[in-house]
Amino acid sequence: MSSLPKQLRDESDFDQLPHDIPISATIADIEEKKGFIDYYRFVMEVRTRGGSKYLIYRRYSQFFNLHSDLELKHSPGDQGTSGPNTCRLPTLPGKVFIGNKKEIAENRIPELNTYMKRLLGLPTWVLLDDDIRMFFYQTESDSQHQPRALRRLRPPTRRVVFDFSGSGRLELSMKAGEVIFLLRRVNTDWLEGTVSNRTGIFPESFVKIIKPLPESDSDGESGGASGKGAGSYSCLRCYLLTPQGVDTRDVCVEEDISTQPSYKELLARMRDVFKVDGNIALNYRDPEGDLVRLLDDGDVALMVADGRAQRSKVKRPVNQFPWELHVTAASDLSVYNTEI
């Protein structure tokens, strides 16, 4: 019991809580998910009152939705009046709309760790909230997924030998004697690590090795194309149709062949794949060979159904989706006669 947060130990009703109530959560790593929309999710180790621990995987959007629901139920009203079911919630780091996705996710880790520590340190009746319990609950998908790495759960791997003052916000300032948790190798001379809730890069010559970094954590040219799970990608063939010709791309995503994306996801992905800023339209060829425009999720469902029905008639690689996307300018109808 001595390892429990002090604010929980002091609550007289803490012993009455179920053993599966989460009492702490720490982000162990981030993982990139390559789907119709690429994103990073946080790998989190959760500890319960009963002493068990397990891993869950959550996106920032799930943190945001949780916090919004808690605000509706537990924040004081417009007049700032408190009630039996109100409390002061911790501050969730805000949304970031522009920037490198990986860098944004890495920079959020200390803030989200602080947010979870304060959230799970609220009065015990808050810990029984269904939204909190479901957020930290290990789903079947969580239990079946194998994490690629758990960098922040490793023991310290570097001790600082010389003071280093970072010259930019990406560089990690450190003092001699500090112990750094190593995250990855950036290149031959630079490493990335974290110390005292600060994360950044630093020259390897300034530190002394305590425990070598596993080879699998070194960034390399082919690092993303090999290893466990490399064969789990599915391919989507896409065509950009213009009066000047046809641009063909094969897009690889981690979603299963049976996945049906939303219209919004497909539209955003095609803008990114073909680097187009103007108004575009998504289309597919129906069994009769006509180019049909997609307008909403219902049209996407029809496209997927038609693709599955035609799969036996059209030979495609086993990992290729049974449908194809044809991207056009929203106002350009001349490309409808383009042959593929």
Side-chain angles (χ1 to χ4, degrees), residues 87-156:
C87 63
R88 184 178 296 277
L89 296 171
T91 301
L92 179 72
K95 291 184 176 181
V96 179
F97 298 98
I98 299 176
N100 180 276
K101 292 181 180 180
K102 182 177 182 180
E103 183 179 327
I104 292 172
E106 290 280 8
N107 290 339
R108 274 181 171 151
I109 290 176
E111 295 175 312
L112 289 178
N113 277 334
T114 299
Y115 173 80
M116 291 189 292
K117 180 179 179 180
R118 293 175 177 173
L119 180 66
L120 296 176
L122 291 174
T124 52
W125 59 264
V126 182
L127 301 185
L128 292 171
D129 185 282
D130 288 342
D131 289 323
I132 292 180
R133 297 186 69 176
M134 289 305 299
F135 180 84
F136 291 103
Y137 176 75
Q138 187 185 43
T139 66
E140 182 178 357
S141 175
D142 290 331
S143 64
Q144 292 178 349
H145 183 75
Q146 294 296 318
R148 298 169 188 170
L150 296 173
R151 297 175 295 172
R152 287 169 174 80
L153 295 185
R154 293 189 188 134

Side-chain angles (χ1 to χ4, degrees), residues 279-303:
N279 292 328
I280 61 173
L282 306 182
N283 315 269
Y284 78 101
R285 291 198 184 276
D286 65 11
E288 287 71 41
D290 296 325
L291 203 60
V292 179
R293 179 158 294 187
L294 305 176
L295 298 176
D296 53 32
D297 290 346
D299 292 337
V300 174
L302 180 61
M303 173 187 69

Side-chain angles (χ1 to χ4, degrees), residues 85-275:
N85 295 320
T86 61
C87 63
R88 184 178 296 277
L89 296 171
T91 301
L92 179 72
K95 291 184 176 181
V96 179
F97 298 98
I98 299 176
N100 180 276
K101 292 181 180 180
K102 182 177 182 180
E103 183 179 327
I104 292 172
E106 290 280 8
N107 290 339
R108 274 181 171 151
I109 290 176
E111 295 175 312
L112 289 178
N113 277 334
T114 299
Y115 173 80
M116 291 189 292
K117 180 179 179 180
R118 293 175 177 173
L119 180 66
L120 296 176
L122 291 174
T124 52
W125 59 264
V126 182
L127 301 185
L128 292 171
D129 185 282
D130 288 342
D131 289 323
I132 292 180
R133 297 186 69 176
M134 289 305 299
F135 180 84
F136 291 103
Y137 176 75
Q138 187 185 43
T139 66
E140 182 178 357
S141 175
D142 290 331
S143 64
Q144 292 178 349
H145 183 75
Q146 294 296 318
R148 298 169 188 170
L150 296 173
R151 297 175 295 172
R152 287 169 174 80
L153 295 185
R154 293 189 188 134
T157 54
R158 294 291 189 277
R159 186 180 299 278
V160 181
V161 180
F162 307 105
D163 289 355
F164 175 71
S165 298
S167 59
R169 66 186 185 91
L170 295 180
E171 295 183 2
L172 178 67
S173 296
M174 52 195 186
K175 295 185 178 297
E178 287 185 315
V179 177
I180 297 177
F181 291 83
L182 189 61
L183 302 180
R184 67 184 178 98
R185 176 173 294 280
V186 178
N187 54 38
T188 304
D189 301 315
W190 286 76
L191 303 168
E192 183 181 24
T194 181
V195 59
S196 302
N197 286 330
R198 293 178 287 111
T199 299
I201 62 174
F202 56 90
E204 185 175 14
S205 58
F206 278 65
V207 298
K208 178 182 179 181
I209 297 175
I210 298 175
K211 182 180 178 181
L213 180 69
E215 290 296 327
S216 60
D217 289 338
S218 298
D219 286 355
E221 290 286 328
S222 60
S226 62
K228 184 177 181 180
S232 63
Y233 286 79
S234 301
C235 292
L236 171 63
R237 179 149 294 178
C238 311
Y239 304 94
L240 177 64
L241 311 182
T242 70
Q244 291 74 37
V246 179
D247 185 3
T248 304
R249 304 285 180 89
D250 282 333
V251 179
C252 290
V253 300
E254 288 184 354
E255 271 88 349
D256 186 78
I257 292 290
S258 62
T259 297
Q260 179 179 305
S262 69
Y263 172 77
K264 182 179 179 181
E265 288 174 334
L266 287 176
L267 191 66
R269 189 60 189 267
M270 291 305 102
R271 288 185 184 279
D272 181 62
V273 167
F274 291 109
K275 306 302 180 186

